[in-house]
Amino acid sequence: MEKKRCTAIVLAAGQGKRMGTKTQKQYLNLCGYPVLWHCLHTFEESAVIDDMILVTGEDQIDYCRTEFVEKYGFRKICKIVAGGAERYHSVLNGLRAMEKNACEDGYVFIHDGARPFVDEPMLERVYADVCKYEACVVGMPVKDTIKIVDDNCYAVSTPPRSSMWQIQTPQCFITKEIKEAYRKMMDAKDDSVTDDGMVMETYGIRGVRMIKGSYENIKITTPEDMLLGEAILKGRRQSQ
């Protein structure tokens, strides 16, 4: 079967307030390179990904063009566009930027730029599964017991851990289907969605298949995550 075109939308417009640094988290140094560089490099070298759309802050577009496209020679970045106030606005801007660049029957991989540890085997699993199930989200079964609490922080229920997954990215869909789901979400003025899988679940035409990512596929959010990220990278380098 002929490979379908795969575009990665990389989200790097977050402010990173929980990191507590003047520099936005996606630009912090992680073992010699910016956090954002690591996933961009993986996509650049991937046999799965054909092109990338980088979504960043409007005032960071020129910076990203200079410091990533030109400095590191990322040829697959075809567009750099401004994000929005919320994550879903940024995804929507990325999807709109695809209109003249991607086959509607191809696939879009939506990925958080603050997740530096996506790797080629993961991308290959995602591609294989999206070809089969047509909508899939990377995640991992939770290790801890989860409690549902009320407004006063009293536990009210304990869902079975076997049914709970922590959601990661990339999240992958048929391009035209996720565009249509986002259009319906915006028409409904629904601002409750927290990830792309939820958009497809609520406004799309099919269910979303969960596939295993990696417990290393963390999102860099707090200073502790930087320490963990350094340990993950050092461990990977030592095993090579």
Side-chain angles (χ1 to χ4, degrees):
M1 183 176 66
E2 183 180 356
K3 177 186 174 297
K4 291 192 175 182
R5 187 169 189 82
C6 295
T7 297
I9 293 179
V10 182
L11 306 173
Q15 296 300 310
K17 295 178 181 179
R18 284 176 286 180
M19 184 60 70
T21 58
K22 292 182 179 180
T23 302
Q24 291 169 286
K25 62 184 179 182
Q26 58 267 34
Y27 306 129
L28 293 175
N29 185 300
L30 181 61
C31 293
Y33 295 94
V35 168
L36 178 60
W37 176 90
H38 294 275
C39 72
L40 294 178
H41 176 72
T42 296
F43 291 145
E44 180 75 22
E45 298 296 317
S46 175
V48 173
I49 301 301
D50 296 295
D51 60 350
M52 292 184 273
I53 294 172
L54 180 58
V55 185
T56 188
E58 187 170 7
D59 59 346
Q60 298 293 318
I61 291 176
D62 289 340
Y63 175 84
C64 285
R65 184 175 292 111
T66 300
E67 292 300 314
F68 290 97
V69 177
E70 297 176 6
K71 182 175 181 178
Y72 295 111
F74 288 131
R75 294 173 297 172
K76 289 184 181 180
I77 298 178
C78 62
K79 279 191 175 183
I80 304 176
V81 300
E86 302 293 340
R87 183 187 185 278
Y88 65 85
H89 292 128
S90 294
V91 175
L92 189 61
N93 288 353
L95 291 171
R96 287 169 174 164
M98 291 179 65
E99 290 178 353
K100 296 181 180 179
N101 290 294
C103 174
E104 294 291 286
D105 291 324
Y107 300 120
V108 55
F109 288 59
I110 303 172
H111 186 69
D112 295 326
R115 290 188 188 272
F117 303 117
V118 59
D119 57 24
E120 182 67 6
M122 191 185 304
L123 294 176
E124 290 174 0
R125 292 199 301 275
V126 172
Y127 181 75
D129 274 18
V130 79
C131 287
K132 184 176 182 180
Y133 301 107
E134 301 183 316
C136 61
V137 168
V138 167
M140 290 298 289
V142 299
K143 297 180 180 180
D144 300 320
T145 296
I146 304 297
K147 295 286 187 181
I148 306 298
V149 301
D150 61 19
D151 292 340
N152 296 314
C153 289
Y154 281 92
V156 295
S157 65
T158 306
R161 189 168 58 188
S162 60
S163 67
M164 307 291 289
W165 282 53
Q166 63 183 54
I167 304 306
Q168 303 176 348
T169 64
Q171 302 190 10
C172 192
F173 312 91
I174 296 173
T175 300
K176 63 182 178 183
E177 291 187 3
I178 193 64
K179 282 184 177 180
E180 178 63 12
Y182 260 94
R183 184 192 66 77
K184 290 180 178 178
M185 183 201 75
M186 296 304 291
D187 286 347
K189 299 180 180 180
D190 184 354
D191 60 359
S192 66
V193 298
T194 55
D195 77 327
D196 315 298
M198 186 176 176
V199 177
M200 181 60 74
E201 293 159 24
T202 308
Y203 297 99
I205 63 172
R206 67 182 73 255
V208 176
R209 172 81 173 186
M210 292 299 307
I211 60 173
K212 285 189 176 181
S214 168
Y215 287 117
E216 290 186 351
N217 188 26
I218 65 171
K219 186 176 182 181
I220 302 294
T221 305
T222 65
E224 294 82 4
D225 296 328
M226 290 293 289
L227 295 175
L228 179 56
E230 291 173 2
I232 290 171
L233 279 176
K234 289 177 181 177
R236 287 185 174 186
R237 290 172 179 175
Q238 290 173 358
S239 65
Q240 291 177 348

